[in-house]
Amino acid sequence: MQTESTKYIFVTGGVMSGLGKGVISSSLAKLLQLSNQKVSCVKIDPYLNYDAGTMNPIAHGEVFVTEDGGECDMDIGNYERFLNQNIPRTHNITTAQIYSSVIEAERRGEYLGACVQIIPHVTDAIKDRIKKIAKTENLDILVVECGGTVGDIESLPFLEALRQLRLEEGPENVLFVHVTLAPSLDVVGEQKTKPTQHSVQELRRIGIQPDLLAVRCSRPLEVDTKKKISLFSNVSAKDVFSCHDAESILMVPQMLYDQGIVDVIFKKFGKVGLLNTSANWDMWNAIVNSFLNSQEKVKIAMVGKYVKLADSYVSINHALKHAGAKLGKKVVIDWIWIDSEELNGDLDKLSQYSGIIVPGGFGERGSEGIIKTANYAREKNIPYLGICFGFQLAAVAFGRYVCGLSSANSTEIAPNTENPVIDLLPEQKIIENKGGSLRLGANEIKVEDNTLAFKLYKSNTIYKRHRHRYEFNQKYLELFTSKGIRFSGYSDSKKRMEILEIPSHKFYLGVQFHPEFNSRPGYPEESFEAFVNASSIA
Ligand code: GLN
């Protein structure tokens, strides 16, 4: 039973993007969770998209899908992985969502003749949304990360709302943590404080005095640097924390803990004494160590469309690493962009890999290369894990090269193909809006006995997250099955095929869902664990 009201930690960012605010927010939440607090995280994205679903992963990073079907910013994935807890879609707040709710309320006549303005109507809507999460989830502490960099026009209404929240809830209930950078111009050079000074000034200009500073730097923050930052930013030196580069992001909670951050937060919140949390720490440390101790390499080729930016498939990268750590292996991932032309005759470069993974994707570009890749893995008995698009194009490859349907394709790629092995979901045919209209979120899947899928999930019923418009066309079910493919998982009373496998192959698995979103450090998603395991066996 919660006895007091929720405490808030607001995380803002200064200097520039990409400092790892998401990891710092997740690490703070993790530390508090390890200290037996009921915590959760919220991400504010001040952009004008309603959600992340329509953004290109190359520009913005992966679209993370929540259990309840939200297409969210990838930081939500960080929170889920660090906390080992599902985060509802309401925890990703965007400008579009706030403005739509205000405009809809205005149309309903809820503002009673008032002139509707950013202050107070928009800021009230932001505060209500945050407070509602804290209240309905009965949280001890809610960490709210505000995207963007202080000084951006877009984030101003959000920062203003957070400032007001502190005033309303009282300083004993709200902490501001500002993430900044102390660059050194060369390896041994002096750590520069000016960018931090300026970004704190910018924050103070809009009425926010940070309580804590988390300073990114390549090596631990020196005492003198801390003192200087403290003096210029009006933050006590003991409240300036070093967030230096680490071998693994999972080491950040320990790094902050060692500098006393939990005591500082508890004291500021007036929470008495630390509960005995050593058991929690033992479990967490065992997980972190499993990542640091895994040395033996397993080389995996990731053949997909958005391989130019590591963040495009961040959950898959993590899921592979979770699986590796549990198995004592270090998974090395090479991202391969396979242009259909480039790959012709060049498929053999894939032979140096122990496993091939094809992640999700959209559209025609690169699809021929992926189809050939899926076929290559099948012919050469190389472990294959196809996710969503990777499931669909594995089916296309099987149609072409095993069933003799040379024109087999997905109608997403070739709308008029004679053999639409992959076709639009019937209910998608009438949908016109592109935003938020795919088949999204967790759905029940039935898994058949005596299959690879059952062997790894050990259950006839699983729930997995989806994000797709196309699916396997059941017109081809009999032909495919007679040629040696097994559809071992399905949903909606067999209306949709969800899992395919080839029993005669070392490991050939395609899944219509996205298993990567359920993978957590210490608890790898089953298909990833089985895939990395199969890839580790010579
Ligand atoms: N483009 C495919 C579809 O819409 C696959 C989507 C994906 O890989 N997430 O069904």
Side-chain angles (χ1 to χ4, degrees):
M1 240 327 249
Q2 190 189 352
T3 49
E4 40 183 340
S5 59
T6 304
K7 311 277 186 192
Y8 297 95
I9 297 182
F10 298 143
V11 181
T12 57
V15 184
M16 62 182 200
S17 62
L19 288 183
K21 234 183 321 150
V23 170
I24 291 170
S25 303
S26 308
S27 300
L28 281 173
K30 184 73 201 175
L31 282 172
L32 298 164
Q33 184 197 52
L34 289 171
S35 310
N36 288 346
Q37 300 297 302
K38 189 172 182 212
V39 292
S40 195
C41 295
V42 162
K43 174 76 193 290
I44 292 173
D45 279 305
Y47 47 66
L48 289 183
N49 300 60
Y50 196 85
D51 58 34
T54 51
M55 274 189 274
N56 187 336
I58 291 184
H60 191 76
E62 151 187 294
V63 177
F64 186 85
V65 181
T66 56
E67 204 71 6
D68 58 0
E71 293 179 288
C72 295
D73 182 83
M74 61 179 194
D75 277 321
I76 301 291
N78 274 326
Y79 308 153
E80 288 207 352
R81 285 186 286 272
F82 270 84
L83 297 177
N84 190 18
Q85 131 190 338
N86 287 346
I87 302 282
R89 61 190 300 173
T90 49
H91 288 224
N92 192 186
I93 306 175
T94 66
T95 295
Q97 291 168 20
I98 296 294
Y99 274 73
S100 315
S101 69
V102 170
I103 292 165
E104 279 162 23
E106 187 274 332
R107 290 291 82 184
R108 284 194 301 269
E110 284 176 22
Y111 297 120
L112 296 175
C115 169
V116 182
Q117 297 185 296
I118 292 184
I119 303 172
H121 302 97
V122 167
T123 48
D124 280 353
I126 297 167
K127 288 185 290 181
D128 288 349
R129 178 90 180 255
I130 293 171
K131 284 197 280 195
K132 191 168 168 205
I133 291 170
K135 192 154 187 256
T136 52
E137 295 176 28
N138 209 12
L139 299 169
D140 295 319
I141 301 178
L142 178 59
V143 176
V144 180
E145 176 189 349
C146 185
T149 308
V150 170
D152 293 348
I153 291 177
E154 285 181 343
S155 54
L156 272 176
F158 290 102
L159 293 172
E160 168 61 17
L162 300 183
R163 187 195 67 76
Q164 293 174 15
L165 249 175
R166 180 181 170 113
L167 195 67
E168 288 167 17
E169 301 286 312
E172 69 284 8
N173 293 318
V174 175
L175 281 182
F176 274 93
V177 178
H178 190 52
V179 180
T180 68
L181 173 73
S184 0
L185 293 183
D186 56 50
V187 188
V188 284
E190 183 194 358
Q191 291 175 323
K192 298 288 187 188
T193 64
K194 198 66 95 187
T196 298
Q197 293 179 34
H198 279 270
S199 87
V200 172
Q201 270 167 23
E202 190 66 31
L203 202 56
R204 284 161 66 179
R205 208 172 57 79
I206 53 174
I208 297 170
Q209 166 64 47
D211 301 283
L212 269 59
L213 294 178
V215 186
R216 288 284 291 117
C217 38
S218 48
R219 58 202 155 75
L221 212 55
E222 284 157 20
V223 178
D224 285 347
T225 321
K226 263 191 192 179
K227 279 191 191 151
K228 198 164 172 192
I229 289 175
S230 163
L231 181 66
F232 282 94
S233 57
N234 197 28
V235 173
S236 150
K238 67 170 185 13
D239 298 338
V240 178
F241 294 88
S242 171
C243 293
H244 38 276
D245 293 351
E247 197 181 323
S248 159
I249 55 170
L250 298 178
M251 294 164 81
V252 179
Q254 181 80 52
M255 179 190 295
L256 292 170
Y257 180 82
D258 290 344
Q259 297 175 65
I261 203 165
V262 177
D263 286 337
V264 166
I265 293 174
F266 269 55
K267 207 178 254 166
K268 287 192 192 282
F269 280 154
K271 284 188 182 270
V272 273
L274 261 185
L275 304 149
N276 182 1
T277 59
S278 55
N280 301 348
W281 270 105
D282 289 348
M283 267 172 71
W284 175 248
N285 284 335
I287 291 170
V288 177
N289 287 335
S290 70
F291 283 79
L292 305 178
N293 296 336
S294 302
Q295 295 307 337
E296 196 191 324
K297 291 186 176 158
V298 185
K299 272 179 78 177
I300 302 292
M302 171 117 97
V303 183
K305 284 189 65 176
Y306 313 115
V307 291
K308 281 190 188 134
L309 179 78
D311 278 348
S312 309
Y313 295 118
V314 62
S315 292
I316 294 185
N317 298 341
H318 282 303
L320 286 168
K321 298 208 158 143
H322 300 159
K326 180 147 181 220
L327 297 164
K329 312 277 177 197
K330 193 180 181 76
V331 178
V332 179
I333 309 159
D334 278 352
W335 298 306
I336 302 186
W337 157 244
I338 295 198
D339 216 347
S340 51
E341 296 92 63
E342 190 189 301
L343 191 73
N344 277 336
D346 194 22
L347 273 169
D348 280 335
K349 72 176 169 197
L350 292 173
S351 67
Q352 51 172 305
Y353 294 95
S354 310
I356 296 173
I357 188 160
V358 173
F362 291 82
E364 196 228 328
R365 204 167 52 89
S367 57
E368 284 302 312
I370 294 174
I371 294 165
K372 291 195 176 97
T373 300
N375 189 50
Y376 183 86
R378 185 185 58 77
E379 281 182 350
K380 301 285 178 189
N381 210 25
I382 301 174
Y384 176 87
L385 178 60
I387 295 175
C388 202
F389 207 42
F391 160 97
Q392 297 173 355
L393 297 189
V396 168
F398 196 83
R400 283 191 196 174
Y401 300 105
V402 182
C403 304
L405 310 168
S406 58
S407 64
N409 217 328
S410 162
T411 51
E412 179 181 5
I413 298 162
N416 301 317
T417 176
E418 275 167 44
N419 285 297
V421 165
I422 301 294
D423 200 6
L424 207 56
L425 271 73
E427 58 272 37
Q428 285 279 335
K429 294 191 171 153
I430 46 163
I431 292 178
E432 284 179 1
N433 276 356
K434 286 272 187 262
S437 61
L438 290 94
R439 180 175 180 241
L440 289 165
N443 292 291
E444 185 190 76
I445 295 166
K446 290 290 176 202
V447 178
E448 291 198 331
D449 287 326
N450 301 320
T451 58
L452 171 62
F454 186 82
K455 204 171 134 201
L456 53 101
Y457 287 117
K458 298 180 184 63
S459 171
N460 291 118
T461 309
I462 56 173
Y463 292 84
K464 294 288 166 187
R465 303 183 193 182
H466 294 77
R467 182 169 186 253
H468 66 122
R469 262 184 240 286
Y470 294 82
E471 64 177 350
F472 181 72
N473 182 347
Q474 300 230 29
K475 223 174 83 187
Y476 296 92
L477 192 61
E478 238 182 80
L479 172 65
F480 272 55
T481 311
S482 72
K483 296 284 184 188
I485 219 165
R486 173 105 192 239
F487 287 94
S488 51
Y490 48 82
S491 58
D492 298 339
S493 317
K494 290 206 172 175
K495 228 168 88 189
R496 318 182 193 294
M497 293 299 119
E498 294 272 3
I499 309 177
L500 66 76
E501 52 192 73
I502 299 178
S504 58
H505 193 279
K506 186 175 174 187
F507 184 98
Y508 200 92
L509 190 73
V511 290
Q512 181 56 80
F513 50 87
H514 287 271
E516 68 272 27
F517 298 137
N518 292 108
S519 194
R520 313 269 165 86
Y523 312 94
E525 202 278 344
E526 291 84 345
S527 62
F528 280 89
E529 187 176 343
F531 167 67
V532 173
N533 192 35
S535 306
S536 311
I537 301 164

